[in-house]
């Protein structure tokens, strides 16, 4: 693409975000470690920092929809806060769906990662470590 003749615009980036959301994979077969959210955040970063195009409600809506679909309610909360701090009102249905994911995780006792749930092991001398 010749950026001088056809620079990307907001609608092009939103179409790309929509395609990332609805695509099964980048390739014909799913790639291990492939993450739609990361691809979307790369796109938002390119929009904002390389071309100074601010993501709008539609842009963030695709990101939030992906986070709701994959059940990552913590990142969903961050995306909602980012939208609100940017002056964008997040879609109420996606906010409710994100909260439903959080409630579901809490009900199944998986709302907090197990490795962070554990306290310091017994016999761990915090004074010796200066904590």
């Amino acid at each position: 693409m010749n950026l001088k003749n056809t620079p990307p615009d907001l609608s092009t980036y939103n179409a790309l975000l929509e395609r990332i959301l609805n695509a099964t994979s980048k390739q014909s077969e799913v790639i291990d470690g492939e993450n739609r959210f990361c691809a979307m955040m790369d796109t938002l970063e390119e929009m904002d920092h390389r071309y100074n195009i601010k993501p709008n409600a539609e842009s963030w809506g695709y990101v939030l929809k992906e986070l709701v679909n994959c059940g990552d309610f913590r990142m969903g909360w961050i995306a909602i806060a980012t939208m609100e701090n940017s002056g964008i009102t997040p879609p109420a249905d996606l906010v409710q769906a994100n909260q439903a994911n959080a409630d579901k995780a809490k009900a199944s006792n998986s709302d907090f990662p197990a490795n962070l749930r554990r306290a310091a092991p017994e016999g761990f001398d915090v004074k010796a470590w200066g904590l």
Side-chain angles (χ1 to χ4, degrees), residues 10-118:
L10 184 60
S11 62
T12 303
Y13 277 115
N14 284 340
L16 175 60
L17 289 167
E18 181 182 23
R19 181 69 182 131
I20 292 169
L21 176 68
N22 296 323
T24 8
S25 177
K26 290 192 278 187
Q27 304 292 329
S28 57
E29 296 179 16
V30 177
I31 301 169
D32 286 340
E34 190 174 52
N35 188 309
R36 283 186 187 90
F37 173 69
C38 290
M40 290 177 156
M41 292 309 295
D42 284 345
T43 302
L44 291 182
E45 181 182 24
E46 182 178 310
M47 287 170 67
D48 196 6
H49 297 296
R50 186 178 292 176
Y51 297 109
N52 203 24
I53 299 171
K54 298 294 179 196
N56 64 1
E58 182 181 357
S59 311
W60 280 108
Y62 292 127
V63 173
L64 186 54
K65 191 175 292 187
E66 169 55 24
L67 292 170
V68 166
N69 290 346
C70 72
D72 192 346
F73 60 91
R74 284 182 200 84
M75 289 304 295
W77 287 335
I78 293 170
I80 290 166
T82 302
M83 291 173 80
E84 290 170 344
N85 289 337
S86 300
I88 299 169
T89 304
D93 60 329
L94 292 177
V95 172
Q96 290 172 351
N98 191 62
Q99 188 59 46
N101 285 342
D103 294 342
K104 180 180 172 186
K106 187 171 183 122
S108 67
N109 204 25
S110 63
D111 59 329
F112 202 70
N115 61 333
L116 297 178
R117 245 184 224 285
R118 293 186 287 249

